[in-house]
């Protein structure tokens, strides 16, 4: 498959600006009112990447205007299991803001979530910018300060998770919240491709996977994101968090649930949801 994030492809769409703005307004209203909305593919199409990312950019601008700070990115649909769950065939990316980080919180509030699901991931914290050079495996590996276990609480503003690829991209890659573990490991201490994952909800095993399930290696996902971010004009920066993508299937989360992910070499991470 050709890289849809080459500079020649970034930003090109024939979808009218009015339709892009209307799609963004629909998603903003769904988030504000905590009420799922209809898909936005009627406005921007199902597979127009440039249009979908244009909608996403509107959402990012609105969040920034409201005072939110960008702290990183997330990569979505990196595992075959999640691609099959969502009916998509390629990864995407979204933005992480400071108020999405619930690491260390006593509980994850359900009040602002619409239809949450949990997935376990390897998160990277960058120690160097990824804005120049080949952005290949060696460069991105060298840019990682440390890795940690992570739980991403994905959420969709689209009713019933009835999403096409364009819908999820427009909706900030179906981002919700995230929780990082406390055990930090350098890449000399852990090899992301070799990790194994086990996720439980209320003590019941609900998802398993491996590092290799994430685009063959979570570092491959990071390299893909670095190139995509640069192509879209906002490269990854030192200090940012990158959620590299699910290691296994995502699972629905109910009020009062306790979700635990154990990732070999990185320890565990827990999210307790409010009732």
């Amino acid at each position: 498959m050709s890289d849809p994030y080459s500079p020649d492809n970034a930003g090109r769409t024939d979808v009218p600006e009015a339709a892009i703005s209307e799609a963004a307004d629909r998603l903003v209203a769904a988030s504000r009112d905590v009420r799922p909305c209809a898909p936005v593919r009627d406005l921007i199409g199902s597979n127009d990447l440039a249009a979908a990312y244009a909608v996403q950019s509107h959402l990012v601008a609105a969040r920034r205007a409201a005072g939110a700070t960008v702290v990183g990115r997330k990569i979505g649909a990196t595992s075959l299991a999640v691609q099959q769950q969502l009916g998509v065939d390629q990864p995407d990316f979204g933005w992480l803001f400071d108020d999405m980080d619930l690491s260390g919180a006593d509980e994850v509030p359900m009040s602002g979530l619409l239809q949450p699901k949990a997935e376990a991931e390897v998160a990277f914290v960058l120690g160097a910018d990824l804005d120049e050079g080949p952005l290949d495996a060696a460069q991105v590996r060298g840019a990682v300060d440390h890795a940690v276990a992570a739980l991403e609480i994905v959420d969709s503003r689209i009713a019933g998770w009835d999403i096409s690829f364009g819908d999820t991209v427009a909706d900030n890659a179906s981002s919700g919240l995230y929780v990082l573990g406390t055990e930090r490991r350098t890449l000399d201490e852990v090899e992301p491709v070799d990790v194994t994952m086990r996720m439980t909800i209320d003590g019941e095993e609900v998802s398993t996977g491996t590092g290799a399930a994430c685009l063959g290696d979570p570092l491959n996902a990071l390299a893909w994101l670095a190139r995509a971010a640069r192509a879209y004009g906002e490269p990854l920066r030192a200090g940012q968090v990158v959620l590299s993508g699910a290691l296994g299937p995502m699972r629905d989360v109910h009020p009062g649930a306790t979700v635990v992910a154990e990732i070999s070499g990185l320890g565990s991470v827990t999210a307790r949801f409010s009732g």
Side-chain angles (χ1 to χ4, degrees):
M1 182 177 63
S2 63
D3 184 355
Y5 300 107
S6 70
D8 288 341
N9 289 325
R12 290 185 174 182
T13 180
D14 294 325
V15 175
E17 176 62 27
I20 290 170
S21 295
E22 184 178 346
D25 290 344
R26 184 182 297 177
L27 292 167
V28 167
S31 181
R32 180 191 65 232
D33 300 338
V34 197
R35 179 173 298 181
C37 64
V40 296
R41 55 183 177 268
D42 63 319
L43 297 168
I44 63 169
S46 297
N47 295 293
D48 187 327
L49 286 179
Y53 279 108
V55 175
Q56 187 186 104
S57 293
H58 277 244
L59 303 184
V60 172
R63 291 298 315 279
R64 283 172 155 163
T69 300
V70 172
V71 296
R73 305 285 181 90
K74 64 151 287 183
I75 313 170
T78 54
S79 79
L80 180 61
V82 171
Q83 289 181 359
Q84 291 173 338
Q85 283 182 300
L86 296 180
V88 302
D89 62 359
Q90 57 186 298
D92 62 356
F93 71 84
W95 299 71
L96 302 179
F97 296 93
D98 52 344
D99 59 358
M100 296 167 64
D101 182 5
L102 292 185
S103 305
D106 291 336
E107 66 177 19
V108 175
M110 292 291 287
S111 56
L113 297 170
L114 289 80
Q115 38 197 353
K117 302 175 183 286
E119 57 187 35
E121 312 188 12
V122 174
F124 298 113
V125 177
L126 301 180
D129 292 348
L130 285 170
D131 58 344
E132 298 180 351
L135 301 181
D136 56 13
Q139 184 181 357
V140 299
R141 185 183 187 93
V144 173
D145 182 77
H146 63 270
V148 298
L151 281 170
E152 183 183 1
I153 298 95
V154 292
D155 201 7
S156 179
R157 271 50 65 177
I158 306 298
W161 281 88
D162 176 19
I163 58 175
S164 67
F165 192 66
D167 292 308
T168 187
V169 170
D171 189 21
N172 196 28
S174 303
S175 296
L177 306 167
Y178 68 94
V179 180
L180 301 181
T182 59
E183 297 186 31
R184 299 180 176 186
R185 296 288 183 267
T186 69
L187 297 189
D188 291 331
E189 297 173 305
V190 64
E191 193 62 54
V193 70
D194 292 335
V195 304
T196 58
M197 178 277 292
R198 175 177 182 266
M199 187 173 77
T200 62
I201 296 180
D202 296 336
E204 178 183 355
E205 183 179 284
V206 296
S207 181
T208 60
T210 67
C214 180
L215 288 188
D217 184 335
L219 288 171
N220 291 343
L222 178 58
W224 174 89
L225 174 64
R227 294 189 292 271
R230 183 172 68 180
Y232 273 84
E234 293 212 39
L236 300 177
R237 298 298 183 186
Q240 290 187 336
V241 176
V242 174
L243 302 181
S244 63
L247 304 180
M250 59 185 181
R251 297 302 182 201
D252 292 341
V253 177
H254 59 268
T258 297
V259 182
V260 179
E262 300 168 345
I263 300 179
S264 62
L266 294 173
S268 65
V269 55
T270 300
R272 296 177 179 86
F273 290 79
S274 69

